[in-house]
Short mmCIF file of all heavy atoms in Angstrom, two decimals:
data_model
loop_
_atom_site.label_atom_id
_atom_site.label_comp_id
_atom_site.label_asym_id
_atom_site.label_seq_id
_atom_site.Cartn_x
_atom_site.Cartn_y
_atom_site.Cartn_z
N HIS A 1 -9.04 7.08 11.36
CA HIS A 1 -8.14 6.38 12.33
C HIS A 1 -7.28 5.40 11.61
O HIS A 1 -5.96 5.34 11.89
CB HIS A 1 -8.99 5.74 13.39
CG HIS A 1 -8.23 5.15 14.49
ND1 HIS A 1 -7.56 6.01 15.42
CD2 HIS A 1 -7.96 3.89 14.91
CE1 HIS A 1 -6.98 5.14 16.29
NE2 HIS A 1 -7.23 3.91 15.97
N LEU A 2 -7.86 4.57 10.66
CA LEU A 2 -6.97 3.61 9.92
C LEU A 2 -5.88 4.25 9.16
O LEU A 2 -4.88 3.70 9.05
CB LEU A 2 -7.93 2.82 9.11
CG LEU A 2 -7.28 1.64 8.24
CD1 LEU A 2 -6.59 0.67 9.00
CD2 LEU A 2 -8.31 1.01 7.31
N SER A 3 -6.19 5.38 8.57
CA SER A 3 -5.24 6.02 7.68
C SER A 3 -4.04 6.35 8.43
O SER A 3 -2.84 6.43 7.88
CB SER A 3 -5.83 7.28 7.01
OG SER A 3 -6.04 8.26 8.03
N THR A 4 -4.13 6.55 9.73
CA THR A 4 -2.87 6.87 10.57
C THR A 4 -2.10 5.54 10.83
O THR A 4 -1.01 5.52 11.37
CB THR A 4 -3.19 7.50 11.92
OG1 THR A 4 -4.02 6.63 12.68
CG2 THR A 4 -4.11 8.76 11.62
N ARG A 5 -2.72 4.43 10.62
CA ARG A 5 -2.08 3.12 10.88
C ARG A 5 -1.45 2.56 9.63
O ARG A 5 -0.88 1.41 9.65
CB ARG A 5 -3.20 2.09 11.35
CG ARG A 5 -3.46 1.97 12.77
CD ARG A 5 -3.48 3.03 13.58
NE ARG A 5 -3.49 2.73 14.97
CZ ARG A 5 -3.23 3.68 15.93
NH1 ARG A 5 -3.01 4.92 15.59
NH2 ARG A 5 -3.23 3.38 17.24
N LEU A 6 -1.42 3.29 8.51
CA LEU A 6 -0.81 2.74 7.25
C LEU A 6 0.59 3.29 7.20
O LEU A 6 1.19 3.15 6.12
CB LEU A 6 -1.58 3.28 6.03
CG LEU A 6 -3.04 2.69 5.96
CD1 LEU A 6 -3.70 3.22 4.70
CD2 LEU A 6 -3.00 1.19 5.87
N VAL A 7 1.16 3.86 8.22
CA VAL A 7 2.55 4.46 8.26
C VAL A 7 3.50 3.48 8.99
O VAL A 7 3.28 3.42 10.28
CB VAL A 7 2.58 5.84 8.69
CG1 VAL A 7 3.91 6.42 8.60
CG2 VAL A 7 1.56 6.75 7.95
N ARG A 8 4.40 2.89 8.39
CA ARG A 8 5.46 2.11 9.04
C ARG A 8 4.89 0.84 9.86
O ARG A 8 5.62 0.01 10.25
CB ARG A 8 6.19 2.92 10.07
CG ARG A 8 7.03 4.01 9.23
CD ARG A 8 7.83 4.84 10.27
NE ARG A 8 8.72 4.01 11.06
CZ ARG A 8 9.35 4.44 12.16
NH1 ARG A 8 9.09 5.53 12.64
NH2 ARG A 8 10.20 3.60 12.77
N GLY A 9 3.62 0.83 10.00
CA GLY A 9 3.07 -0.35 10.87
C GLY A 9 2.87 -1.65 10.04
O GLY A 9 2.68 -2.64 10.57
N TRP A 10 2.69 -1.55 8.73
CA TRP A 10 2.26 -2.57 7.92
C TRP A 10 3.33 -2.96 6.90
O TRP A 10 3.35 -2.48 5.75
CB TRP A 10 0.98 -2.38 7.18
CG TRP A 10 -0.10 -1.98 8.33
CD1 TRP A 10 -0.29 -0.76 8.72
CD2 TRP A 10 -1.05 -2.82 8.81
NE1 TRP A 10 -1.32 -0.71 9.58
CE2 TRP A 10 -1.84 -1.99 9.74
CE3 TRP A 10 -1.33 -4.21 8.80
CZ2 TRP A 10 -2.84 -2.47 10.49
CZ3 TRP A 10 -2.39 -4.67 9.57
CH2 TRP A 10 -3.15 -3.77 10.41
N THR A 11 4.39 -3.69 7.18
CA THR A 11 5.50 -3.91 6.35
C THR A 11 5.13 -4.67 4.99
O THR A 11 5.78 -4.38 4.01
CB THR A 11 6.65 -4.78 7.04
OG1 THR A 11 6.00 -5.96 7.53
CG2 THR A 11 7.19 -3.90 8.24
N HIS A 12 4.09 -5.44 5.07
CA HIS A 12 3.72 -6.14 3.82
C HIS A 12 3.10 -5.24 2.83
O HIS A 12 3.11 -5.54 1.63
CB HIS A 12 2.78 -7.28 4.18
CG HIS A 12 1.40 -6.78 4.59
ND1 HIS A 12 1.16 -6.18 5.76
CD2 HIS A 12 0.10 -6.76 4.00
CE1 HIS A 12 -0.04 -5.86 5.92
NE2 HIS A 12 -0.74 -6.17 4.85
N LEU A 13 2.74 -4.04 3.11
CA LEU A 13 2.11 -3.05 2.24
C LEU A 13 3.15 -2.37 1.49
O LEU A 13 2.86 -1.61 0.49
CB LEU A 13 1.25 -2.05 3.00
CG LEU A 13 0.01 -2.69 3.73
CD1 LEU A 13 -0.74 -1.58 4.37
CD2 LEU A 13 -0.83 -3.50 2.79
N GLU A 14 4.46 -2.46 1.91
CA GLU A 14 5.46 -1.74 1.08
C GLU A 14 5.91 -2.51 -0.11
O GLU A 14 6.66 -2.00 -0.89
CB GLU A 14 6.70 -1.64 2.05
CG GLU A 14 6.41 -0.66 3.28
CD GLU A 14 6.19 0.72 2.90
OE1 GLU A 14 6.40 1.13 1.78
OE2 GLU A 14 5.76 1.45 3.83
N ARG A 15 5.62 -3.74 -0.32
CA ARG A 15 5.97 -4.46 -1.46
C ARG A 15 5.21 -3.92 -2.78
O ARG A 15 4.05 -3.66 -2.71
CB ARG A 15 5.61 -6.02 -1.34
CG ARG A 15 6.36 -6.68 -0.19
CD ARG A 15 6.16 -8.19 -0.35
NE ARG A 15 4.81 -8.60 -0.18
CZ ARG A 15 4.24 -8.95 0.98
NH1 ARG A 15 4.99 -9.01 2.06
NH2 ARG A 15 3.02 -9.34 1.06
N GLN A 16 6.04 -3.80 -3.72
CA GLN A 16 5.46 -3.32 -5.00
C GLN A 16 4.81 -4.54 -5.78
O GLN A 16 5.19 -5.65 -5.70
CB GLN A 16 6.51 -2.68 -5.93
CG GLN A 16 7.01 -1.40 -5.44
CD GLN A 16 7.84 -0.65 -6.43
OE1 GLN A 16 8.23 -1.18 -7.44
NE2 GLN A 16 8.16 0.61 -6.13
N LYS A 17 3.80 -4.17 -6.54
CA LYS A 17 3.12 -5.20 -7.42
C LYS A 17 4.14 -5.62 -8.43
O LYS A 17 4.99 -4.87 -8.96
CB LYS A 17 1.95 -4.59 -8.12
CG LYS A 17 0.74 -4.19 -7.06
CD LYS A 17 -0.36 -3.64 -7.84
CE LYS A 17 -1.45 -3.18 -6.95
NZ LYS A 17 -2.60 -2.49 -7.69
N GLY A 18 4.05 -6.91 -8.78
CA GLY A 18 4.95 -7.35 -9.84
C GLY A 18 4.49 -8.65 -10.50
O GLY A 18 3.39 -9.18 -10.10
N GLY A 19 5.12 -9.18 -11.43
CA GLY A 19 4.71 -10.44 -12.04
C GLY A 19 3.84 -10.16 -13.33
O GLY A 19 3.60 -9.05 -13.68
N ILE A 20 3.52 -11.28 -13.95
CA ILE A 20 2.81 -11.21 -15.27
C ILE A 20 1.50 -10.57 -15.06
O ILE A 20 0.69 -10.96 -14.15
CB ILE A 20 2.66 -12.58 -15.87
CG1 ILE A 20 3.99 -13.17 -16.25
CG2 ILE A 20 1.82 -12.52 -17.17
CD1 ILE A 20 3.94 -14.61 -16.62
N GLY A 21 1.16 -9.60 -15.84
CA GLY A 21 -0.08 -8.86 -15.78
C GLY A 21 -0.17 -7.86 -14.65
O GLY A 21 -1.21 -7.10 -14.53
N LEU A 22 0.85 -7.79 -13.80
CA LEU A 22 0.75 -6.85 -12.67
C LEU A 22 1.84 -5.78 -12.67
O LEU A 22 1.97 -5.01 -11.78
CB LEU A 22 0.90 -7.67 -11.35
CG LEU A 22 -0.26 -8.63 -11.12
CD1 LEU A 22 0.07 -9.39 -9.80
CD2 LEU A 22 -1.59 -7.88 -10.93
N ARG A 23 2.68 -5.84 -13.85
CA ARG A 23 3.74 -4.82 -13.87
C ARG A 23 3.08 -3.51 -14.27
O ARG A 23 2.25 -3.39 -15.09
CB ARG A 23 4.76 -5.25 -14.94
CG ARG A 23 5.51 -6.48 -14.62
CD ARG A 23 6.63 -6.74 -15.55
NE ARG A 23 7.37 -8.04 -15.22
CZ ARG A 23 7.11 -9.16 -15.72
NH1 ARG A 23 6.06 -9.30 -16.51
NH2 ARG A 23 7.78 -10.24 -15.34
N GLY A 24 3.55 -2.45 -13.65
CA GLY A 24 3.02 -1.14 -13.95
C GLY A 24 3.98 -0.07 -13.39
O GLY A 24 5.16 -0.26 -13.46
N PRO A 25 3.38 1.06 -13.10
CA PRO A 25 4.22 2.23 -12.66
C PRO A 25 4.99 1.99 -11.35
O PRO A 25 5.62 2.85 -10.82
CB PRO A 25 3.18 3.37 -12.57
CG PRO A 25 1.88 2.70 -12.26
CD PRO A 25 1.96 1.40 -12.98
N GLY A 26 4.66 0.87 -10.68
CA GLY A 26 5.48 0.58 -9.40
C GLY A 26 4.79 1.10 -8.14
O GLY A 26 5.41 1.42 -7.17
N GLU A 27 3.40 1.30 -8.25
CA GLU A 27 2.74 1.81 -7.09
C GLU A 27 2.78 0.66 -5.94
O GLU A 27 2.46 -0.48 -6.19
CB GLU A 27 1.25 2.03 -7.33
CG GLU A 27 0.45 2.62 -6.20
CD GLU A 27 -1.00 2.93 -6.61
OE1 GLU A 27 -1.67 2.10 -7.24
OE2 GLU A 27 -1.47 4.00 -6.27
N THR A 28 3.16 1.08 -4.79
CA THR A 28 3.21 0.05 -3.64
C THR A 28 1.79 -0.18 -3.10
O THR A 28 0.86 0.59 -3.41
CB THR A 28 4.05 0.64 -2.59
OG1 THR A 28 3.36 1.79 -1.97
CG2 THR A 28 5.47 0.97 -2.96
N GLN A 29 1.60 -1.30 -2.46
CA GLN A 29 0.35 -1.66 -1.84
C GLN A 29 -0.05 -0.55 -0.82
O GLN A 29 -1.22 -0.23 -0.62
CB GLN A 29 0.43 -3.03 -1.21
CG GLN A 29 -0.90 -3.46 -0.69
CD GLN A 29 -1.94 -3.66 -1.86
OE1 GLN A 29 -1.58 -4.18 -2.92
NE2 GLN A 29 -3.19 -3.14 -1.65
N LEU A 30 0.97 0.03 -0.13
CA LEU A 30 0.66 1.06 0.87
C LEU A 30 0.09 2.26 0.16
O LEU A 30 -0.94 2.86 0.62
CB LEU A 30 1.90 1.47 1.52
CG LEU A 30 1.89 2.55 2.48
CD1 LEU A 30 0.86 2.28 3.68
CD2 LEU A 30 3.30 2.92 3.14
N GLU A 31 0.56 2.59 -0.98
CA GLU A 31 0.12 3.77 -1.74
C GLU A 31 -1.29 3.57 -2.22
O GLU A 31 -2.19 4.40 -2.28
CB GLU A 31 1.09 4.18 -2.89
CG GLU A 31 2.38 4.71 -2.46
CD GLU A 31 3.39 4.79 -3.49
OE1 GLU A 31 3.33 4.04 -4.51
OE2 GLU A 31 4.44 5.55 -3.36
N THR A 32 -1.54 2.25 -2.77
CA THR A 32 -2.80 1.90 -3.24
C THR A 32 -3.86 1.98 -2.18
O THR A 32 -4.93 2.54 -2.38
CB THR A 32 -2.76 0.48 -3.81
OG1 THR A 32 -1.83 0.40 -4.81
CG2 THR A 32 -4.15 -0.01 -4.32
N ASP A 33 -3.47 1.50 -0.97
CA ASP A 33 -4.41 1.52 0.21
C ASP A 33 -4.84 2.93 0.54
O ASP A 33 -5.84 3.28 0.93
CB ASP A 33 -3.88 0.74 1.40
CG ASP A 33 -4.07 -0.83 1.25
OD1 ASP A 33 -4.16 -1.24 0.10
OD2 ASP A 33 -4.05 -1.38 2.25
N ARG A 34 -3.75 3.80 0.55
CA ARG A 34 -3.93 5.18 0.94
C ARG A 34 -4.90 5.83 0.00
O ARG A 34 -5.75 6.60 0.36
CB ARG A 34 -2.59 5.91 0.97
CG ARG A 34 -1.79 5.74 2.24
CD ARG A 34 -0.41 6.42 2.03
NE ARG A 34 0.40 6.43 3.17
CZ ARG A 34 1.74 6.61 3.17
NH1 ARG A 34 2.31 6.86 2.03
NH2 ARG A 34 2.44 6.48 4.38
N ARG A 35 -4.67 5.53 -1.30
CA ARG A 35 -5.51 6.10 -2.38
C ARG A 35 -6.99 5.62 -2.16
O ARG A 35 -7.87 6.47 -2.34
CB ARG A 35 -4.97 5.81 -3.75
CG ARG A 35 -5.78 6.34 -4.89
CD ARG A 35 -5.00 6.17 -6.20
NE ARG A 35 -4.38 4.84 -6.37
CZ ARG A 35 -5.18 3.81 -6.79
NH1 ARG A 35 -6.50 3.94 -7.04
NH2 ARG A 35 -4.56 2.58 -6.95
N LEU A 36 -7.12 4.38 -1.97
CA LEU A 36 -8.55 3.76 -1.86
C LEU A 36 -9.22 4.41 -0.61
O LEU A 36 -10.33 4.66 -0.65
CB LEU A 36 -8.46 2.27 -1.77
CG LEU A 36 -7.98 1.58 -3.10
CD1 LEU A 36 -7.80 0.05 -2.87
CD2 LEU A 36 -8.98 1.79 -4.21
N ILE A 37 -8.50 4.47 0.47
CA ILE A 37 -8.99 5.02 1.72
C ILE A 37 -9.43 6.51 1.50
O ILE A 37 -10.48 6.93 1.88
CB ILE A 37 -8.10 4.79 2.89
CG1 ILE A 37 -8.03 3.35 3.30
CG2 ILE A 37 -8.54 5.67 4.11
CD1 ILE A 37 -7.08 3.06 4.39
N GLY A 38 -8.48 7.23 0.85
CA GLY A 38 -8.71 8.68 0.54
C GLY A 38 -9.95 8.82 -0.26
O GLY A 38 -10.80 9.70 0.01
N GLY A 39 -10.20 7.99 -1.26
CA GLY A 39 -11.32 8.06 -2.07
C GLY A 39 -12.66 7.67 -1.38
O GLY A 39 -13.67 8.41 -1.57
#
C-alpha cells in the first residue's frame, strides 16, 4: 500500500543526495525508498 504512496505525493523525496560524502550517481530519495521497500 505504501509503495503506491511514493508517487507524486512526497515532494521531499524527489531531492537528490548531495554534499560532502554524499555525492554519487544521483539516486533520488524517492528511488532509494522504492528500492528499499522493494527489497
Side-chain angles (χ1 to χ4, degrees):
H1 186 69
L2 178 61
S3 66
T4 67
R5 269 43 190 166
L6 295 180
V7 182
R8 294 179 61 193
W10 306 85
T11 55
H12 70 290
L13 297 182
E14 297 292 350
R15 294 193 297 267
Q16 290 191 351
K17 297 176 181 178
I20 297 174
L22 295 176
R23 296 186 181 92
E27 184 179 45
T28 66
Q29 187 63 47
L30 177 59
E31 290 166 341
T32 301
D33 280 26
R34 280 175 176 162
R35 178 168 50 78
L36 292 173
I37 288 175

